[in-house]
Amino acid sequence: MRQATVYIDSAALQYNLNRVKQLAPTAKIVSMVKANAYGHGVKDCLAALSASDAFGVACLQEALEIRELGYQQPITLIEGVFVADEMPIVIDQNIEVIVHQQAQVDWLLAHKDAYIAKDLKVWVKLNSGMNRLGFKIDVIKDVINQLKAEGFICVLAMHFANADADHPLNDEQIRQFLEIKNYCAPLMGSCCNSAAIYKYPELHFDFVRPGIMLYGATPFADRDVHDLDLKPVMTFTAEVIALNHIKAGEHVGYGSTFTAEQDMTLAIVSIGYGDGYPRAFPKQNYVAINGQQTRVIGRVAMDMIAIDVTAMQVKPGTQVELWGNTRLVDDVAEANGTIGYELLCRLSHRPLRKVI
Ligand SMILES: *Cc1c(COP(=O)(O)O)cnc(C)c1O
């Protein structure tokens, strides 16, 4: 049987969650498990993350999956509900909403008594310059004051556009967040994703919202997971299914883009873009065998790649790490012009999944 496998290391997940606790000892932790726990499999990850104070997801569907799996922690819908009909379900299932526009405030007010009776918090989103979702600074004061006057427990929520970098917008976003937090005091606050948890210890406030760091990948372009003291959770592997000796001058793969400069040994590995392994072209992918990195030769196909194993001890059945502890997903991402987040989220259903 084809052996492309995604291993999920639950001890690493727990280790990374503890890192959040160390870095943000006074804040509650909303573990972000949207997009099937960043492609890691929400079912397996929830077990390892059950010490979280709450979970964050992108839509009702994802929240209901958590409830069906039996977890009772608070859940926040980070984009709120999409239609009014979702409100009664949200309340019945003890799910908290963000409000980022007036229609959502109206839906919430229409269910005020039931929502408040369940002690659910309302997350009110400030648009401080990312210009995705949220109320602008000049209107959010009224929204929060109205919700507070109606008896709602509010959390001011904000998201950085550049938490991973030094950018002049950071100071402006912080300034707006603090202005609202003070103006509407007392008011709980939450503005830190993974990068901001590291970068702004003074801004952890009531709730931090770690995502990528839990999974042991980096939110920064210039700091790797070892530097951040995180452990990669996912190891993505496949097996060698054939060996192929080629002579100088021969080509490899679709488009015959690779020409051997000398005689070499290739291993054919049963992995491809049909599994979510990125195509890199025209850049260069590397994989690892027993802790040693080697290059991918020619184009990545749907089901197979060729790798250079000249002078390596390899046979059919040898395990190849596409990413994991040796070849970091962040390095694979870099070689493919993307970020670890994308590679993790866009794995296909084809690889087997195993929890260790
Ligand atoms: C996804 C998300 C996070 C987590 O971001 P990371 O960079 O993965 O830590 C935090 N807050 C919001 C609103 C998000 O959408």
Side-chain angles (χ1 to χ4, degrees):
M1 184 163 131
R2 195 167 181 273
Q3 290 294 343
T5 307
V6 170
Y7 293 94
I8 300 299
D9 181 347
S10 22
L13 254 178
Q14 284 167 352
Y15 181 89
N16 297 336
L17 179 62
N18 273 324
R19 285 289 292 138
V20 182
K21 281 190 206 285
Q22 284 170 5
L23 292 163
T26 60
K28 288 194 169 168
I29 300 175
V30 183
S31 291
M32 301 305 295
V33 294
K34 61 194 178 186
N36 197 27
Y38 289 46
H40 290 64
V42 73
K43 182 168 181 283
D44 300 323
C45 291
L46 288 174
L49 295 173
S50 62
S52 309
D53 298 294
F55 297 113
V57 294
C59 59
L60 179 58
Q61 223 172 329
E62 291 180 339
L64 293 178
E65 200 178 342
I66 295 176
R67 289 289 180 254
E68 274 156 27
L69 290 165
Y71 294 89
Q72 302 304 330
Q73 281 99 328
I75 301 176
T76 307
L77 295 185
I78 58 167
E79 295 168 26
V81 294
F82 292 79
V83 293
D85 292 352
E86 292 180 341
M87 276 312 295
I89 307 168
V90 157
I91 295 168
D92 181 58
Q93 295 293 318
N94 293 306
I95 296 165
E96 299 182 348
V97 295
I98 263 191
V99 289
H100 61 78
Q101 58 191 352
Q102 187 56 43
Q104 293 174 316
V105 175
D106 297 341
W107 301 335
L108 185 63
L109 289 172
H111 294 86
K112 176 182 142 178
D113 294 340
Y115 196 92
I116 291 174
K118 291 265 185 130
D119 278 331
L120 300 170
K121 303 182 290 298
V122 185
W123 300 65
V124 188
K125 179 95 169 188
L126 170 67
N127 174 6
S128 56
M130 180 135 178
N131 287 318
R132 222 166 45 169
L133 296 181
F135 297 97
K136 287 274 176 88
I137 186 161
D138 48 342
V139 293
I140 196 168
K141 295 173 182 173
D142 291 340
V143 174
I144 293 169
N145 284 338
Q146 183 194 3
L147 288 171
K148 283 175 75 173
E150 298 275 357
F152 287 97
I153 308 161
C154 296
V155 182
L156 178 63
M158 193 267 275
H159 199 53
F160 285 105
N162 304 280
D164 57 330
D166 287 320
H167 190 285
L169 188 58
N170 286 335
D171 286 345
E172 174 58 17
Q173 290 197 270
I174 294 168
R175 189 193 66 73
Q176 292 194 16
F177 186 82
L178 294 178
E179 180 182 324
I180 300 300
K181 199 163 177 309
N182 293 332
Y183 184 88
C184 299
L187 179 63
M188 288 188 284
S190 174
C191 64
C192 288
N193 60 359
S194 300
I197 287 170
Y198 281 92
K199 194 165 164 176
Y200 296 119
E202 71 281 16
L203 299 179
H204 291 157
F205 298 115
D206 302 275
F207 302 93
V208 291
R209 310 189 304 262
I212 197 74
M213 68 177 288
L214 293 173
Y215 306 102
T218 182
F220 299 102
D222 56 354
R223 293 181 72 183
D224 75 14
V225 288
H226 305 303
D227 186 27
L228 299 171
D229 190 6
L230 299 171
K231 293 189 196 295
V233 170
M234 182 188 294
T235 301
F236 184 22
T237 67
E239 282 186 359
V240 171
I241 56 170
L243 292 169
N244 209 345
H245 304 283
I246 63 168
K247 299 220 172 305
E250 287 198 79
H251 306 297
V252 180
Y254 284 120
S256 299
T257 53
F258 179 83
T259 308
E261 283 173 1
Q262 58 209 18
D263 295 0
M264 60 192 295
T265 306
L266 303 179
I268 306 304
V269 183
S270 58
I271 200 73
Y273 59 77
D275 301 283
Y277 188 68
R279 199 158 160 275
F281 186 78
K283 291 190 176 184
Q284 177 69 58
N285 276 317
Y286 286 82
V287 300
I289 296 176
N290 294 324
Q292 189 188 345
Q293 297 203 33
T294 190
R295 62 190 169 144
V296 174
I297 298 294
R299 287 190 186 161
V300 171
M302 190 182 294
D303 316 303
M304 277 179 271
I305 58 172
I307 61 174
D308 183 359
V309 295
T310 311
M312 289 174 88
Q313 293 300 313
V314 168
K315 54 186 194 310
T318 296
Q319 218 180 50
V320 177
E321 179 190 291
L322 290 329
W323 62 68
N325 280 298
T326 303
R327 181 70 182 154
L328 298 174
V329 69
D330 299 307
D331 295 333
V332 181
E334 160 110 67
N336 284 272
T338 182
I339 50 177
Y341 296 76
E342 186 191 1
L343 295 185
L344 295 169
C345 286
R346 64 169 221 190
L347 279 173
S348 79
H349 286 293
R350 190 162 62 177
L352 308 172
R353 287 176 177 269
K354 290 187 183 162
V355 183
I356 49 173

